[in-house]
Amino acid sequence: MIMPGGVPSGTEHSAIAALDQGRLRAIQIRVFVLCALVTMLDGIDNQSIGVVAPLMSAELGLSTAAMGLIFSLTQVGATIGALAFGPFGDRFGRRPAIILSVSTMTVFTLLTALVPSFGLLLATRFLAGIGLAGVFASALALTSEYAPTRLRGTMVSVVYAGYPAGAALGGVMAAVILQQHDWRLVLYMGAALGALVIALILLLLPESPRFLIEAGTHRERLDRLLMKLGLDPAAAGVSPAAVSSQPRPRQSLWSVFEGGLAPLTVLLCLLNLFVSATTKIMVVWFPSILADSGFSISQAAFSQAAFNIGCVAAMLIAGWLVDRFGALRTIVPALFFDALSIWCLGFTAGNFAVTIIVASLVGAFIGIGASGAQALAAQLFPVRVRSTGIGWATSAARFGQVISPLLVGVVLAGGMSASRIYAGLALSPLLAALVAAAFVHATRRREEKARAQSEG
């Protein structure tokens, strides 16, 4: 069986074939909603921390440099967390990994509101970051494993869009709370939402049927799950031999570089790094660049909002575009036009209306690139290493978020003109487009090789 990305997906199984081709049922929609809530928590936490940071630093007597270190260490924790929770999800299941990562995030978000010193604040944000990024690997893997083939990219992109949607919700929630209450209540609310999601997961979120078949354990659990999916275990071909009592072979962090996957994994990580770096740059530095170009703070804020709206809207349809037209016709042109749009921003100084339009296009094109890259990750790896593979891609994206604002800060300190700054920023999505094209070419070659071997 060859996946849309051109990679063998693992054990061919009639139950899985029926799931791939079947219609959506209530249990699948429930899984998609719960996974979207999980990714929203990451966005809520990130945006909430950004809003309360000035109040937190003032009360604890922290400098801007100290807060910058805290933000950076959170992303370092997220980079590590994505790598750590990926193999955990492949070894013990998507559901346990999601529960553990959300619990970690919730506990240390709560402790962030209680710590009295800089050192403890560093520790709590680092550990919260580990939980934050850990949710993506298993949530996206679980989403892809419940989605029919025709909707896989669509559902992954919708769930991934939970992050920016959560960021928007977190910003509104923080703004409302801070009108009359202490900044700690923002974090208490974030922790309460995390606890609510944990309760919903424990009550309503099932394990992946593909994982259970691949793991070779939990026969009765798999039978019940298949019946909820409208599949008769006997008719679907699930025999006791298919689900044995023997534990599955242990997978490692490096399993995604074996069996010919190494070049594809490297290209996917580079794609996520460049795409995420572009997004982070626009979120962190775009308002400052506009202000330095003569726009008012209000105009810069509206331009930033246009970017975010375009990004979220495009994320919701990116997977559908990949499912409908393929990665080469969707992601590569989107990233190329994103580079062109960023370059055009250097010539919109003084024209607020044009800046708004171009900023929304930048957000839309990078939204397609970011969400499409996640859809590729979910489709690339076989079930046995899918969570690990998505973890690598997520970790690369988080690393891009760590280094890109630092590089742009150095450039801005050099006093370059706006047109040159935007021309430099356009290199990131342009490189992402080239990497995406190389990735699609490599998957096609792998697919042709696998087809030739099967025919031979």
Side-chain angles (χ1 to χ4, degrees), residues 266-272 274 332 335 429-441:
V266 171
L267 288 171
L268 185 65
C269 287
L270 288 174
L271 173 60
N272 277 271
F274 287 126
V332 176
L335 292 172
L430 182 60
L431 289 172
L434 295 176
V435 171
F439 177 89
V440 174
H441 177 67

Side-chain angles (χ1 to χ4, degrees), residues 391-406:
W392 271 98
T394 303
S395 181
R398 296 290 181 161
F399 183 68
Q401 291 181 2
V402 173
I403 63 172
S404 55
L406 300 177

Side-chain angles (χ1 to χ4, degrees), residues 42-85:
D42 190 351
I44 290 171
D45 182 274
N46 271 288
Q47 192 64 42
S48 298
I49 286 294
V51 173
V52 304
L55 300 174
M56 183 191 302
S57 62
E59 182 169 323
L60 298 179
L62 303 178
S63 65
T64 302
M67 291 304 299
L69 180 59
I70 290 170
F71 289 140
S72 296
L73 198 60
T74 301
Q75 293 303 322
V76 172
T79 303
I80 295 172
L83 291 176
F85 277 101

Side-chain angles (χ1 to χ4, degrees), residues 287 290-291 294-306 352 356:
L290 289 177
F295 288 96
S296 68
I297 297 298
S298 176
Q299 289 174 325
F302 275 115
S303 299
Q304 181 70 66
F352 177 55
I356 285 283

Side-chain angles (χ1 to χ4, degrees), residues 217-231:
T217 56
H218 307 292
R219 169 65 195 273
E220 293 182 359
R221 186 179 178 188
L222 177 60
D223 286 351
R224 292 194 299 269
L225 184 55
L226 290 176
M227 287 189 286
K228 290 180 180 178
L229 289 165
L231 302 173

